[in-house]
Amino acid sequence: MGLLERLRKEWFILGIVLVIAVARLEPAVGVKGGELDPHGASCRIHAVSSADLKDNFKLIISGPLKPEITITYIAVSAIFFNSGLSLKTEELTSALMHVKLHLFVQIFTLVFFPTAIWLFLQLLSITPINEWLLKGLQTVGCMPPPVSSAVILTKAVGGNEGIVITPLLLLLFLGSSSSVPFTSIFSQLFMTVVVPLIIGQIVRRYIKDWLERRKPPFGAISSCVLLMIIYTTFCDTFANPNIDLDKFSLIIIVFIIFSVQMSFMFLTFLFSTRNNSSFTPADTVAIIFCSTHKSLTLGIPMLKIVFAGYEHLSLISVPLLIYHPAQILLGSLLVPTIKSWMVSRQKSAPTRGILHSDRIAVQKQLKT
């Protein structure tokens, strides 16, 4: 694969780097308006005397993008409307039939993963690693798999339970650090995530034939909107001079993320290939990807809602932004080995487990 083709394929990862760089150069364009405590505490206060504001707070004027409206409501809703529009209900229904496979993936990704990370972070808390990056690592553990992952099964796992369980896990492991009340978090999640997703599914029923003929670039659309969300998140960061990120902490977090991914992929492989597991080779491939991959598309909007108005939001987001390209890179490196193993095992064992259509989806993913 040539350099130009590789760059075209990985345009989203390059886009993340670019929007962060642009946010660093001109944060005023996408900054959210409000009051910033120069001593370090971010506030979104509605009633304060002019004297107190002058003495203790720096007033931040909202940028031209007006992210408190365009991002918080419009962009997030657009992502999930797009997901609802692209989600094939018939494939989702057929995938839901595989109860054992779903149960394994859900327990691993939404119970074992965040709990193991929490225990690991108890040890790391005594190190000089930036505490907000460590909190961000915990948020990675709480995220569901991608809505568009290795196989259609991930849609069933991440597209349903993740919307409810992920914010609960964030509040459980991190505490309610957000300035948004608990009830407001879930009401906003419902209005900007659940409702657009349902509307997208309803609209799909009426224009299904047109969508299948034209095949709109759903993934590219969501990715572009997500880049705008990431841009405004880092505009808030660079507009706040009190936030500092040391390179040592960043390097250590990158190393930890790659180590966690490799360890958990190996662990899911061992569990799913035991003699009494009854999982097929194609099941195992689905489990490896679905159980260890984390959704950036769901994760960033979720963090924007749960930690709205929090000055360290961008630092909390960094591990998830690293995790996304890391899972793509590791997946690409492992494709030849996993593909060879799956083909050899399928030839030597009877086929059972997930549907033929799901096996084809796995094989397509391996080819890419």
Side-chain angles (χ1 to χ4, degrees):
M1 182 181 292
L3 178 60
L4 188 60
E5 187 178 351
R6 170 59 68 179
L7 293 176
R8 188 182 298 112
K9 185 176 181 180
E10 306 298 345
W11 69 271
F12 179 64
I13 295 176
L14 295 175
I16 293 176
V17 177
L18 179 61
V19 296
I20 293 176
V22 173
R24 179 68 180 89
L25 293 174
E26 193 58 51
V29 174
V31 72
K32 177 186 280 189
E35 295 79 37
L36 176 68
D37 181 351
H39 302 293
S42 178
C43 299
R44 298 283 179 243
I45 53 178
H46 301 285
V48 63
S49 68
S50 57
D52 288 338
L53 182 61
K54 181 179 179 181
D55 294 338
N56 301 307
F57 294 92
K58 176 185 177 183
L59 181 63
I60 302 296
I61 305 300
S62 179
L65 286 180
K66 300 293 181 183
E68 58 271 19
I69 299 174
T70 57
I71 301 299
T72 304
Y73 298 101
I74 299 176
V76 174
S77 298
I79 283 180
F80 289 99
F81 172 77
N82 188 60
S83 296
L85 204 60
S86 64
L87 187 61
K88 295 182 179 180
T89 311
E90 59 276 12
E91 292 184 352
L92 176 61
T93 303
S94 65
L96 284 171
M97 296 171 59
H98 308 295
V99 178
K100 184 177 180 180
L101 185 56
H102 288 250
L103 189 62
F104 182 96
V105 171
Q106 291 180 37
I107 290 176
F108 190 94
T109 196
L110 295 175
V111 178
F112 176 82
F113 203 127
T115 303
I117 293 295
W118 182 82
L119 292 173
F120 183 48
L121 292 182
Q122 302 311 299
L123 298 176
L124 293 180
S125 63
I126 62 175
T127 68
I129 301 175
N130 186 288
E131 64 171 311
W132 303 108
L133 289 181
L134 294 181
K135 288 180 182 293
L137 196 58
Q138 183 67 71
T139 68
V140 170
C142 296
M143 292 299 157
V147 174
S148 54
S149 186
V151 290
I152 189 64
L153 295 171
T154 306
K155 290 185 178 180
V157 179
N160 295 322
E161 286 79 0
I163 294 173
V164 177
I165 294 179
T166 294
L168 289 176
L169 290 174
L170 289 173
L171 294 173
L172 173 65
F173 286 105
L174 297 178
S176 184
S177 302
S178 172
S179 60
V180 181
F182 184 86
T183 54
S184 296
I185 292 174
F186 284 92
S187 63
Q188 188 171 345
L189 281 171
F190 181 78
M191 294 305 298
T192 59
V193 176
V194 179
V195 171
L197 197 65
I198 294 173
I199 293 175
Q201 280 281 280
I202 295 173
V203 172
R204 179 181 174 81
R205 293 182 60 185
Y206 294 98
I207 61 172
K208 177 182 175 182
D209 294 338
W210 181 86
L211 290 173
E212 292 181 352
R213 285 196 313 270
R214 300 300 296 269
K215 300 186 184 303
F218 293 113
I221 293 172
S222 290
S223 295
C224 289
V225 177
L226 190 58
L227 287 177
M228 189 168 68
I229 295 175
I230 294 171
Y231 168 69
T232 58
T233 299
F234 279 86
C235 281
D236 286 340
T237 296
F238 295 128
N240 183 355
N242 299 311
I243 294 180
D244 185 32
L245 175 62
D246 60 288
K247 295 179 180 178
F248 168 78
S249 295
L250 189 60
I251 293 172
I252 295 298
I253 288 296
V254 171
F255 175 77
I256 290 174
I257 286 173
F258 274 93
S259 300
V260 166
Q261 283 198 43
M262 292 179 64
S263 300
F264 283 3
M265 291 178 80
F266 181 67
L267 192 60
T268 54
F269 176 80
L270 290 180
F271 276 127
S272 59
T273 54
R274 293 177 302 169
N275 292 332
N276 60 345
S277 69
S278 74
F279 290 124
T280 69
D283 290 336
T284 296
V285 175
I287 286 171
I288 290 173
F289 286 115
C290 294
S291 299
T292 60
H293 281 200
K294 295 295 183 176
S295 175
L296 185 66
T297 305
L298 178 62
I300 294 297
M302 189 81 70
L303 293 179
K304 290 285 284 187
I305 294 172
V306 176
F307 296 102
Y310 205 67
E311 68 167 342
H312 292 96
L313 172 60
S314 59
L315 295 187
I316 295 175
S317 305
V318 164
L320 187 57
L321 293 174
I322 296 172
Y323 198 95
H324 178 76
Q327 68 189 14
I328 293 175
L329 176 60
L330 283 177
S332 300
L333 293 175
L334 292 173
V335 158
T337 303
I338 293 177
K339 181 179 179 180
S340 177
W341 173 85
M342 186 183 73
V343 171
S344 64
R345 288 293 299 270
Q346 285 180 333
K347 288 181 179 179
S348 62
T351 302
R352 66 184 187 278
I354 66 176
L355 298 177
H356 177 66
S357 61
D358 293 329
R359 292 197 298 275
I360 292 176
V362 174
Q363 291 165 351
K364 285 182 179 179
Q365 177 67 22
L366 291 175
K367 289 179 182 179
T368 58

Coordinates of all heavy atoms in Angstrom, one line a residue, residues 101-110 112-114 141 143-146 149 154 157 264-265 268-269 283-294 323:
L101 N -22.6 -15.3 23.1 CA -21.6 -14.4 22.6 C -21.8 -13.0 23.2 O -20.8 -12.3 23.6 CB -21.6 -14.4 21.1 CG -20.5 -13.6 20.4 CD1 -19.1 -14.1 20.8 CD2 -20.6 -13.8 18.9
H102 N -23.0 -12.5 23.2 CA -23.3 -11.2 23.7 C -23.0 -11.1 25.2 O -22.4 -10.1 25.6 CB -24.8 -10.8 23.5 CG -25.1 -10.6 22.0 ND1 -25.5 -9.3 21.6 CD2 -25.1 -11.4 21.0 CE1 -25.7 -9.4 20.3 NE2 -25.5 -10.6 19.9
L103 N -23.4 -12.1 25.9 CA -23.1 -12.1 27.3 C -21.6 -12.0 27.7 O -21.2 -11.2 28.5 CB -23.7 -13.3 28.0 CG -23.8 -13.4 29.5 CD1 -24.7 -12.3 30.0 CD2 -24.3 -14.7 29.9
F104 N -20.8 -12.7 26.9 CA -19.4 -12.7 27.1 C -18.8 -11.3 26.9 O -18.1 -10.7 27.7 CB -18.7 -13.7 26.2 CG -17.2 -13.8 26.4 CD1 -16.6 -14.8 27.2 CD2 -16.4 -12.9 25.8 CE1 -15.3 -14.8 27.4 CE2 -15.0 -12.9 26.0 CZ -14.4 -13.9 26.8
V105 N -19.2 -10.7 25.7 CA -18.7 -9.4 25.3 C -19.1 -8.3 26.3 O -18.3 -7.5 26.7 CB -19.2 -9.1 23.9 CG1 -18.8 -7.6 23.6 CG2 -18.5 -10.0 22.9
Q106 N -20.4 -8.4 26.7 CA -20.9 -7.4 27.6 C -20.3 -7.4 29.0 O -19.9 -6.4 29.6 CB -22.4 -7.5 27.8 CG -23.2 -7.1 26.5 CD -24.7 -7.3 26.6 OE1 -25.2 -7.0 27.7 NE2 -25.3 -7.7 25.6
I107 N -20.1 -8.6 29.5 CA -19.5 -8.8 30.8 C -18.0 -8.3 30.8 O -17.5 -7.6 31.7 CB -19.6 -10.2 31.3 CG1 -21.0 -10.6 31.7 CG2 -18.7 -10.5 32.6 CD1 -21.3 -12.0 32.1
F108 N -17.3 -8.7 29.7 CA -15.9 -8.4 29.6 C -15.7 -6.9 29.5 O -14.9 -6.2 30.2 CB -15.2 -9.1 28.5 CG -13.7 -8.9 28.4 CD1 -12.9 -9.9 29.0 CD2 -13.1 -7.9 27.9 CE1 -11.6 -9.8 29.1 CE2 -11.7 -7.7 27.9 CZ -11.0 -8.7 28.5
T109 N -16.4 -6.3 28.5 CA -16.2 -4.9 28.2 C -16.8 -3.9 29.2 O -16.3 -2.8 29.4 CB -16.7 -4.6 26.8 OG1 -16.1 -3.3 26.3 CG2 -18.2 -4.5 26.7
L110 N -17.9 -4.3 29.8 CA -18.6 -3.3 30.7 C -18.5 -3.7 32.2 O -19.0 -2.9 33.0 CB -20.1 -3.2 30.3 CG -20.3 -2.6 28.9 CD1 -21.8 -2.7 28.6 CD2 -19.8 -1.2 28.8
F112 N -15.6 -6.4 33.5 CA -14.2 -6.8 33.8 C -13.3 -5.7 33.4 O -12.4 -5.3 34.2 CB -13.9 -8.1 33.0 CG -12.4 -8.4 33.2 CD1 -12.0 -9.1 34.3 CD2 -11.5 -8.1 32.2 CE1 -10.6 -9.5 34.4 CE2 -10.1 -8.4 32.3 CZ -9.7 -9.1 33.4
F113 N -13.4 -5.1 32.2 CA -12.5 -4.1 31.7 C -12.4 -2.9 32.6 O -11.3 -2.5 33.1 CB -13.0 -3.6 30.3 CG -11.9 -3.0 29.4 CD1 -11.6 -3.5 28.2 CD2 -11.1 -2.0 29.9 CE1 -10.6 -2.9 27.4 CE2 -10.2 -1.4 29.1 CZ -9.9 -1.9 27.9
P114 N -13.6 -2.2 33.0 CA -13.5 -1.0 33.8 C -13.0 -1.4 35.2 O -12.3 -0.6 35.9 CB -14.9 -0.4 33.8 CG -15.8 -1.6 33.4 CD -15.0 -2.4 32.5
G141 N -11.9 2.6 30.0 CA -12.4 1.4 30.4 C -14.0 1.3 30.5 O -14.6 0.2 30.4
M143 N -16.1 2.8 28.4 CA -16.7 3.0 27.1 C -17.1 1.6 26.6 O -16.5 0.6 26.8 CB -15.8 3.7 26.2 CG -15.5 5.1 26.5 SD -17.0 6.1 26.5 CE -16.5 7.4 27.6
P144 N -18.2 1.6 25.8 CA -18.7 0.4 25.1 C -17.9 0.3 23.8 O -17.1 1.2 23.4 CB -20.1 0.7 24.8 CG -20.2 2.2 24.6 CD -19.2 2.8 25.6
P145 N -18.0 -0.9 23.1 CA -17.4 -1.1 21.8 C -17.9 -0.1 20.8 O -19.0 0.5 21.0 CB -17.7 -2.5 21.4 CG -18.1 -3.2 22.7 CD -18.7 -2.1 23.5
P146 N -17.2 0.1 19.7 CA -17.7 1.0 18.6 C -19.1 0.6 18.1 O -19.4 -0.6 18.0 CB -16.6 1.0 17.5 CG -15.4 0.4 18.2 CD -15.9 -0.5 19.3
S149 N -18.0 -1.6 14.4 CA -16.8 -2.3 14.9 C -16.5 -3.5 13.9 O -16.9 -3.5 12.8 CB -17.0 -2.8 16.3 OG -15.8 -3.3 16.8
T154 N -21.2 -6.1 17.4 CA -20.8 -4.9 18.3 C -21.9 -3.9 18.3 O -22.0 -3.2 19.2 CB -19.5 -4.3 17.8 OG1 -18.5 -5.3 17.7 CG2 -19.0 -3.2 18.7
V157 N -24.2 -4.7 21.0 CA -23.7 -4.5 22.3 C -23.5 -3.0 22.6 O -24.0 -2.4 23.6 CB -22.4 -5.2 22.5 CG1 -21.8 -4.9 23.9 CG2 -22.5 -6.7 22.3
F264 N -5.4 -7.5 27.0 CA -6.8 -7.9 27.0 C -7.2 -8.7 25.7 O -8.0 -9.6 25.8 CB -7.7 -6.7 27.1 CG -7.7 -6.1 28.5 CD1 -7.0 -6.7 29.5 CD2 -8.5 -5.1 28.9 CE1 -7.0 -6.3 30.8 CE2 -8.6 -4.6 30.2 CZ -7.8 -5.2 31.1
M265 N -6.6 -8.4 24.6 CA -6.8 -9.2 23.4 C -6.3 -10.6 23.6 O -7.0 -11.6 23.2 CB -6.1 -8.5 22.2 CG -6.7 -7.2 21.7 SD -5.9 -6.4 20.3 CE -6.6 -7.3 19.0
T268 N -8.8 -12.4 26.0 CA -10.1 -12.8 25.4 C -9.8 -14.0 24.5 O -10.7 -14.8 24.3 CB -10.7 -11.6 24.6 OG1 -9.7 -11.1 23.7 CG2 -11.2 -10.5 25.5
F269 N -8.7 -14.0 23.8 CA -8.4 -15.1 23.0 C -8.3 -16.4 23.8 O -8.8 -17.5 23.4 CB -7.0 -14.9 22.2 CG -6.6 -16.1 21.4 CD1 -7.1 -16.3 20.1 CD2 -5.6 -16.9 21.9 CE1 -6.7 -17.3 19.3 CE2 -5.2 -18.0 21.1 CZ -5.7 -18.2 19.8
D283 N -16.4 -16.7 16.0 CA -16.8 -16.1 17.3 C -15.6 -15.5 18.0 O -15.7 -14.4 18.6 CB -17.4 -17.2 18.2 CG -18.8 -17.7 17.7 OD1 -19.4 -16.9 17.0 OD2 -19.1 -18.8 18.0
T284 N -14.5 -16.2 18.1 CA -13.3 -15.7 18.8 C -12.8 -14.4 18.2 O -12.5 -13.5 19.0 CB -12.2 -16.8 18.7 OG1 -12.6 -18.0 19.4 CG2 -10.9 -16.3 19.3
V285 N -12.8 -14.3 16.9 CA -12.4 -13.1 16.3 C -13.3 -11.9 16.7 O -12.8 -10.8 17.0 CB -12.3 -13.2 14.7 CG1 -12.0 -11.9 14.1 CG2 -11.3 -14.3 14.3
A286 N -14.6 -12.2 16.6 CA -15.6 -11.1 17.0 C -15.3 -10.7 18.5 O -15.4 -9.5 18.8 CB -17.0 -11.7 16.8
I287 N -15.1 -11.7 19.3 CA -14.9 -11.4 20.8 C -13.6 -10.6 21.0 O -13.6 -9.6 21.8 CB -14.8 -12.8 21.5 CG1 -16.2 -13.4 21.7 CG2 -14.2 -12.5 22.9 CD1 -16.2 -14.8 22.2
I288 N -12.5 -10.9 20.3 CA -11.3 -10.2 20.5 C -11.5 -8.7 20.1 O -11.0 -7.8 20.9 CB -10.2 -10.8 19.6 CG1 -9.8 -12.2 20.1 CG2 -9.0 -9.9 19.5 CD1 -8.8 -12.9 19.1
F289 N -12.2 -8.4 19.0 CA -12.3 -7.0 18.6 C -13.4 -6.3 19.5 O -13.2 -5.2 19.9 CB -12.7 -6.9 17.2 CG -11.5 -7.2 16.3 CD1 -11.5 -8.3 15.4 CD2 -10.4 -6.3 16.3 CE1 -10.4 -8.5 14.6 CE2 -9.3 -6.6 15.4 CZ -9.3 -7.7 14.6
C290 N -14.6 -7.0 19.6 CA -15.7 -6.4 20.3 C -15.4 -6.1 21.8 O -15.9 -5.1 22.4 CB -16.9 -7.2 20.2 SG -17.6 -7.4 18.5
S291 N -14.6 -7.0 22.4 CA -14.4 -6.9 23.9 C -13.3 -5.9 24.2 O -13.3 -5.4 25.3 CB -14.0 -8.3 24.5 OG -15.1 -9.2 24.3
T292 N -12.4 -5.6 23.3 CA -11.3 -4.8 23.6 C -11.3 -3.4 22.9 O -10.6 -2.5 23.3 CB -10.0 -5.5 23.2 OG1 -10.0 -5.8 21.8 CG2 -9.8 -6.8 24.0
H293 N -12.1 -3.3 21.9 CA -12.2 -2.0 21.2 C -13.2 -1.0 21.9 O -14.2 -1.5 22.5 CB -12.7 -2.2 19.7 CG -11.6 -2.6 18.8 ND1 -11.6 -2.5 17.5 CD2 -10.4 -3.2 19.1 CE1 -10.5 -2.9 16.9 NE2 -9.8 -3.4 17.9
K294 N -12.9 0.2 21.9 CA -13.7 1.2 22.6 C -14.1 2.3 21.6 O -13.4 2.7 20.7 CB -12.9 1.9 23.7 CG -12.5 0.9 24.8 CD -13.8 0.4 25.5 CE -13.4 -0.5 26.7 NZ -14.6 -1.0 27.5
Y323 N -6.3 5.8 22.4 CA -6.8 4.4 22.3 C -7.3 4.1 20.9 O -7.2 3.0 20.4 CB -7.9 4.2 23.4 CG -8.2 2.7 23.7 CD1 -7.5 2.1 24.8 CD2 -9.0 2.0 22.9 CE1 -7.7 0.8 25.1 CE2 -9.2 0.6 23.2 CZ -8.6 0.1 24.3 OH -8.8 -1.3 24.6

